[in-house]
Amino acid sequence: MFQFLTRRLLAAAATLLALVVIAFAVLKLAPGGPFDLKPSASPASLAQVQRSFHHDQPLYAQFGHYLGGVVHLDFGPSFGFRDHDVADLLFRGASITIEIVCWALAIAVAAGIPLGALTARIRGSLLDQALLVLGVIGLAVPIFVLTPVLQLVFAIGLNWLPVAGWDGGWVHKILPVATLVVPLTAVVARLVRGSIRDAAPVGAGNGRERLKAGLAAILARMGFLASGALILSVPLERAFALPGTGRYLDQAGAHHDYPVLAGALIFYGGLVILAGLLGSLLVQLLGRDPAFPIGTEDDGRPVVSGIDTLPHIWRSLHGDRIALSAACAVLAAVALVLVVPALLSFSPDKADYGAISVAPSWSAGHLLGTDDLGRDLLAEALVGGRVSILLTVAAASIAALLLFVWRAAAARGRPFRALGGLIDALPFLVLAIAFRAMAATVVEIASLAWLILWLSHGDKRGIVLAISSAVPAAFTGEAYLSYFDIGAREPTLSLGGVLANGLGDIDLAPWEVFGPVAVLLFIVVSLTLFVQRVRDAAVPGGYHGMVRSGAD
């Protein structure tokens, strides 16, 4: 146990140091940051700024001062909040963020473990696929869309709960926690289902053993879960006007307050590292030692490629109606976004002020309605879907290359495996907000690539299956980036941008949101269902493998 704790603590310390280096790079490289001195300032002012931030010293000395401040929880002054230090702002909202996240994680684990164990037991059945689709919908519908729907129903319609705000009472916690529980439960159930599926054939072991295996899997991925919960907490806090850490992160990103952004990278990363350490310790105490890190074979060697399993998968999927239907749906979605916009009589960027916010109508030709500028939503959604597909393909290609290099390097040396902790500790949305002032498209693609890498680096399957499983999430991730004004701009918006634009009118013109959401769900659900059937077919002794082996 002592050696285990020592290794974990050293890995955590190395990851924290890497976070500090990245945070310092944000301060130094981001345009408009505290070290981007303006020539219009007076010489006395420039000298004062240089002395205050040790800018007149060598680079290594500047980093040393910053590192020393971080050790003492001193991240420097905020440039956007006068008379406030960064640490004051971050820790002022920390209690709210941590409380919401902890409650949501606890409920999600309590509900997700038995649900995941159930779906693992009935793997391959129609009920399993139905539950999978519901889980995908829970993940694919962005938090910022689910929030106003719940507010309209439970706060405005039924008047049971407050719409937003925070007074510390339990009534202000119910809606935020319930909103966050929906996607987290889906994540927990899928993790448990996958761990039981990979560990034993269908139906093996009793219910108690399956629950123990599921709990061990959740604890082993506690850092991953904490990272996902913290990602979702940022838009959640904006939607519910919660005074958590995400509020200051959001405002700092909008006003280029880089000291706060750099401190937020360390703050969120530190919480993820702490959750990972706690989860690893609990796994050890339960006596279930994950002998090798996720992403390795049983003998500890990393998986480098999964191409050699493709012939087996093809044989297993031959005749699988659900897989073939999902594949046809994916191909149809791609064909629609590539071909149909050219056939429509409405241009996606042409405003018709005589048809502002028109409801969906077959007779008028606007099948999904129009937005607040009179633009046809079907044309916007299809063109936006094309942009989203191109962005996702570019991000997936970059992520696949990075994953191949990482696994190949890890095969030659154990230190490279520590990069997995850094990938978990840098939530993609926090990273994107920190660099949002740079080239929008570059930041968007890099952030989506990081999201795909975060989801796939812990996958035991080969690179092809690992990346494919993470790709559907990139479409929803792109919507989150658009919600924070990161990525494609007018007039050619991505699907996420079309969705984010309609949020302001969701109470008066809900079709501006639900139309793009329907297109998003069609793409994500179809792709996820197909990938899941492929993954199940790749499991030795799995449902499809047993069926096809018997037939052959």
Side-chain angles (χ1 to χ4, degrees), residues 37-365:
L37 303 178
K38 301 297 186 294
S40 59
S42 65
S45 299
L46 293 177
Q48 177 63 33
V49 172
Q50 288 177 339
R51 286 193 298 269
S52 300
F53 290 94
H54 310 285
H55 192 66
D56 55 341
Q57 299 180 8
L59 188 63
Y60 66 86
Q62 297 177 39
F63 177 73
H65 285 290
Y66 187 73
L67 179 61
V70 170
V71 171
H72 294 89
L73 298 180
D74 180 9
F75 303 100
S78 167
F79 283 0
F81 301 88
R82 290 193 174 187
D83 303 323
H84 286 286
D85 289 335
V86 173
D88 294 338
L89 297 174
L90 294 178
F91 293 112
R92 175 186 300 176
S95 60
I96 297 174
T97 298
I98 293 174
E99 182 178 4
I100 295 295
V101 166
C102 286
W103 274 113
L105 278 174
I107 297 173
V109 169
I113 290 180
L115 185 60
L118 171 64
T119 55
R121 185 175 181 84
I122 60 175
R123 183 171 73 241
S125 66
L126 291 178
L127 179 58
D128 176 33
Q129 300 307 313
L131 292 175
L132 173 62
V133 170
L134 289 177
V136 173
I137 292 175
L139 286 171
V141 176
I143 284 286
F144 57 82
V145 173
L146 186 59
T147 295
V149 172
L150 295 180
Q151 288 172 328
L152 287 172
V153 174
F154 294 101
I156 298 177
L158 299 175
N159 198 26
W160 288 353
L161 299 167
V163 175
W166 183 267
D167 65 357
W170 65 270
V171 292
H172 282 86
K173 302 175 186 177
I174 293 178
L175 272 184
V177 171
T179 305
L180 193 54
V181 162
V182 173
L184 291 181
T185 301
V187 172
V188 170
R190 292 186 67 178
L191 282 176
V192 172
R193 180 186 187 275
S195 65
I196 297 176
R197 174 201 62 195
D198 294 344
V202 180
N206 56 40
R208 184 175 181 181
E209 285 300 317
R210 285 195 295 272
L211 291 177
K212 285 184 178 180
L215 179 60
I218 294 304
L219 292 176
R221 301 302 303 275
M222 188 56 69
F224 171 83
L225 284 174
S227 182
L230 289 171
I231 288 174
L232 296 175
S233 71
V234 179
L236 182 82
E237 291 175 16
R238 175 199 266 195
F240 281 106
L242 302 178
T245 305
R247 167 189 176 184
Y248 300 109
L249 171 66
D250 182 18
Q251 295 179 6
H255 298 94
H256 301 172
D257 190 352
Y258 290 106
V260 174
L261 296 174
L265 287 175
I266 301 173
F267 172 79
Y268 282 99
L271 290 180
V272 173
I273 293 171
L274 182 61
L277 282 174
L278 180 60
S280 299
L281 179 60
L282 290 176
V283 170
Q284 290 290 316
L285 294 177
L286 287 176
R288 289 181 174 269
D289 182 13
F292 302 103
I294 296 176
T296 64
E297 295 283 14
D298 291 339
D299 60 356
R301 293 180 294 103
V303 180
V304 176
S305 175
I307 298 178
D308 55 339
T309 64
L310 293 181
H312 165 72
I313 295 173
W314 175 255
R315 291 193 301 269
S316 300
L317 289 178
H318 182 66
D320 186 336
R321 295 179 181 177
I322 295 179
L324 293 177
S325 300
C328 290
V330 173
L331 293 177
V334 174
L336 285 173
V337 300
L338 293 180
V339 177
V340 173
L343 304 178
L344 293 175
S345 59
F346 304 103
S347 175
D349 57 352
K350 182 180 179 180
D352 182 2
Y353 297 108
I356 293 178
S357 297
V358 172
S361 171
W362 181 269
S363 59

